[in-house]
């Protein structure tokens, strides 16, 4: 799947569960079947209040638009909406 526009007035959209593992720098990128031209480096936060204290990691999400499109919309992943 790819990152897509949300429906009108839709503030939150559930995303499939991500399984995250750590890798060493040299191991990154191995095993990729195909390259996606555009990837949005999406910030993930523990809580809706976005700050460095609540930042978890960046997730590369494939998209059709330029990454700046999603930056201007303030797109981010949240671990909880409470």
């Amino acid at each position: 799947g790819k990152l897509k526009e949300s429906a009108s007035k839709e503030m939150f959209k559930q995303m499939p569960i991500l399984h995250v593992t750590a890798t060493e720098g040299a191991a990154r990128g191995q095993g990729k079947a195909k390259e996606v031209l555009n990837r949005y480096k999406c910030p993930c936060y523990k809580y809706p209040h976005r700050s460095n204290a609540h930042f978890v990691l960046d997730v590369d999400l494939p998209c059709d638009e330029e990454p700046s499109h999603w930056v201007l919309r303030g797109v981010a992943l949240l671990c909880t909406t409470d």
Side-chain angles (χ1 to χ4, degrees):
K2 293 183 180 180
L3 191 57
K4 296 182 181 178
E5 293 286 345
S6 62
S8 180
K9 298 185 182 182
E10 184 177 40
M11 291 296 294
F12 302 105
K13 183 75 175 173
Q14 190 170 358
M15 185 167 169
I17 295 172
L18 299 175
H19 297 277
V20 180
T21 57
T23 61
E24 292 186 33
R28 290 183 189 163
Q30 292 180 355
K32 290 185 180 179
K34 60 180 179 178
E35 283 296 319
V36 177
L37 294 177
N38 291 322
R39 288 192 172 274
Y40 170 53
K41 194 171 187 175
C42 187
C44 178
Y45 298 95
K46 281 191 212 178
Y47 306 107
H49 177 70
R50 300 177 190 187
S51 70
N52 286 341
H54 301 293
F55 177 78
V56 180
L57 75 153
D58 284 323
V59 178
D60 285 341
L61 298 177
C63 56
D64 289 328
E65 299 82 0
E66 290 294 321
S68 60
H69 175 86
W70 303 108
V71 171
L72 291 172
R73 283 164 173 68
V75 173
L77 297 176
L78 303 173
C79 294
T80 181
T81 56
D82 297 336

